[in-house]
């Protein structure tokens, strides 16, 4: 894979959240033990057709892994996940992140994302969360933790009062359940960690990661 000349060139121009969530049906949620592991996994996922990565800040390698992954290919879109503090937005943007994902939303986090120029996919779990996000101008949200918070029946319940809202459910979704989530009219894509099973990462079985990525990329077309 050719390394992109520079992450700020035309190929890495800013995309909106609406554009990003439509680049593929599954956004892998990633946590890396090291920057090197992150590079191997990111390459393997890209080889399987996955172009959008959510690299979380759940490990110390997160920021450096974002910087490395964002330079691997012209068409990779790297986001920062598990944003829980406003200062995470500027840190991730400086490292090359093109969007942010949070498990929840506050006004301070919203402002920090705007100030950093980082498109944000905010997390919601309840109707009140959704209304608060919509008041701040969000039309696409992350439903988290999706399975634990009601799964598909909850998504169906949301669709009535929020018919125009687009949702990326994340949390507890598997290769087996992903198609049912993607079939919902308000689901634009899903987030998941099943593309990087712990056993495959421990064995450095990057071919298995590519296989799972290819299968995920071939799921039902995104809306």
């Amino acid at each position: 894979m050719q390394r992109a000349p520079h992450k700020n060139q035309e190929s890495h121009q800013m995309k909106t959240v609406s554009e990003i969530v439509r680049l593929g049906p599954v956004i892998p949620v990633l946590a890396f033990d090291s920057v090197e592991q992150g590079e191997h996994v990111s390459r393997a996922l890209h080889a399987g057709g996955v172009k959008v990565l959510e690299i979380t800040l759940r490990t110390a390698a997160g920021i450096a892994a974002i910087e490395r992954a964002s330079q691997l290919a012209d068409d990779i879109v790297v986001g920062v996940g598990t944003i829980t503090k406003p200062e995470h937005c500027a840190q991730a943007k400086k490292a090359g992140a093109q969007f942010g994902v949070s498990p929840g939303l506050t006004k301070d986090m919203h402002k920090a994302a705007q100030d950093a120029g980082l498109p944000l996919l905010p997390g919601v779990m309840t109707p009140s969360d959704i209304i608060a996000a919509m008041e701040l101008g969000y039309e696409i949200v992350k439903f988290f933790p999706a399975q634990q918070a009601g799964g598909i029946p909850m998504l169906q319940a949301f669709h009535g009062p929020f018919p125009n809202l687009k949702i990326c459910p994340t949390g507890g979704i598997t290769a087996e359940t992903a198609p049912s989530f993607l079939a919902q009219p308000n689901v634009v894509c899903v987030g998941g960690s099943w593309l990087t099973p712990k056993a495959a990462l421990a064995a450095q079985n990057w071919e298995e990661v590519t296989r799972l990525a290819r299968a995920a990329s071939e799921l039902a077309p995104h809306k």
Side-chain angles (χ1 to χ4, degrees), residues 107-203:
K107 289 183 178 179
D108 286 345
M109 190 180 299
H110 166 72
K111 184 178 185 303
Q114 284 196 316
D115 289 345
L118 188 73
L120 186 64
L121 179 64
V124 302
M125 192 176 74
T126 68
S128 293
D129 292 342
I130 291 174
I131 291 170
M134 291 176 67
E135 285 181 350
L136 291 172
Y138 293 95
E139 300 175 347
I140 303 173
V141 296
K142 165 185 170 178
F143 176 40
F144 177 83
Q147 191 61 48
Q148 297 86 339
I152 289 172
M154 185 66 88
L155 287 166
Q156 293 171 337
F158 284 157
H159 191 48
F162 309 111
N164 297 320
L165 187 72
K166 292 300 182 183
I167 302 175
C168 172
T170 304
I173 299 174
T174 66
E176 291 72 31
T177 61
S180 297
F181 277 91
L182 288 166
Q184 304 309 308
N186 51 353
V187 171
V188 67
C189 65
V190 300
S193 57
W194 79 86
L195 279 67
T196 53
K198 291 181 179 179
L201 268 57

Side-chain angles (χ1 to χ4, degrees), residues 25-107:
V26 180
I27 299 177
V29 180
L30 308 166
F32 297 132
D33 295 332
S34 68
V35 179
E36 291 72 25
Q37 182 189 65
E39 178 170 350
H40 283 297
V41 171
S42 299
R43 287 185 183 277
L45 289 167
H46 185 264
V50 172
K51 298 180 180 180
V52 181
L53 312 178
E54 178 190 334
I55 299 178
T56 69
L57 299 180
R58 298 178 187 181
T59 68
I63 289 292
I66 289 168
E67 184 170 12
R68 183 78 62 86
S70 69
Q71 298 174 345
L72 292 180
D74 289 348
D75 57 350
I76 277 183
V77 179
V78 180
V80 53
T82 321
I83 292 178
T84 57
K85 299 178 180 180
E87 56 264 32
H88 288 159
C89 297
Q91 292 170 0
K93 176 72 173 183
K94 184 178 180 181
Q98 291 185 259
F99 70 102
V101 185
S102 63
L105 181 66
T106 66
K107 289 183 178 179

Side-chain angles (χ1 to χ4, degrees), residues 200-215:
L201 268 57
Q204 298 186 12
N205 187 353
W206 315 129
E207 292 81 6
E208 174 66 4
V209 173
T210 295
R211 184 189 70 80
L212 292 169
R214 188 170 292 115

